[in-house]
Amino acid sequence: MTEHSLWRLSHALHRAINERHFDPLAELIDDDIDWAIYGPINMFPFLGARLGKEAVLDAIRQIADHVRIRKLERETLMLGDSTAATMVRCAMTTQHSDKPITTRLAQFLQFRAGKLARLRILIDTFDLVEQTLGHPIDLPRIGSFA
């Protein structure tokens, strides 16, 4: 049995973000990748949609400029021949203030010839924004469940 493409990608992505070694990751990304990380792009401009390898590598460089991953804890994992879906708890720190941030991510990946061809990540953005701001967001109640 061969190693699933997710494992190689996970290790290379972690190394790219924390150690700024992008070449091994670039080898695992399809030239025509379709990439989207859903979240508040006004607050985190490295989130959002990207098309093509260079645009994705630029987004990963921006992520590396802002955070350092401390721990990834996989809560759920589903693997197919050329697909993967995971729920991950990610503990990181900001590069500039060393402030700890923890969030959950749902990741959906598709591979073509062993390279990442499509990625979708959904982030628990409400919690992420509160941690980044350093205080709870005060929202009005919109209904009652009494």
Side-chain angles (χ1 to χ4, degrees):
M1 187 168 152
T2 61
E3 179 182 47
H4 195 281
S5 300
L6 175 66
W7 307 131
R8 290 187 302 274
L9 179 75
S10 294
H11 294 295
L13 184 58
H14 191 272
R15 190 166 183 224
I17 291 172
N18 281 357
E19 301 172 22
R20 303 192 64 79
H21 291 198
F22 300 102
D23 291 341
L25 178 63
E27 294 173 14
L28 300 175
I29 296 175
D30 189 86
D31 289 340
D32 299 317
I33 186 169
D34 177 4
W35 166 288
I37 303 176
Y38 300 103
I41 59 175
N42 290 341
M43 189 169 193
F44 306 103
F46 45 82
L47 301 180
R50 304 288 190 281
L51 292 174
K53 184 189 286 192
E54 289 309 312
V56 167
L57 289 172
D58 183 54
I60 294 167
R61 285 183 192 96
Q62 290 176 42
I63 293 168
D65 287 343
H66 290 86
V67 300
R68 179 171 176 76
I69 297 171
R70 296 293 180 200
K71 182 179 179 183
L72 293 173
E73 181 180 325
R74 214 169 257 113
E75 297 176 357
T76 305
L77 170 67
M78 295 174 59
L79 296 176
D81 290 338
S82 61
T83 60
T86 68
M87 176 69 82
V88 177
R89 182 169 300 281
C90 180
M92 56 194 142
T93 55
T94 59
Q95 289 285 28
H96 304 293
S97 68
D98 211 33
K99 180 180 183 174
I101 296 172
T102 303
T103 193
R104 293 176 79 199
L105 314 167
Q107 304 175 75
F108 304 92
L109 307 95
Q110 293 177 333
F111 298 90
R112 183 173 37 240
K115 293 185 177 190
L116 182 63
R118 189 167 197 264
L119 173 123
R120 296 294 183 266
I121 295 178
L122 304 172
I123 303 173
D124 180 357
T125 56
F126 192 84
D127 187 39
L128 177 64
V129 169
E130 284 187 330
Q131 290 178 65
T132 302
L133 293 174
H135 60 81
I137 299 171
D138 185 26
L139 295 176
R141 287 200 115 149
I142 60 170
S144 175
F145 296 101

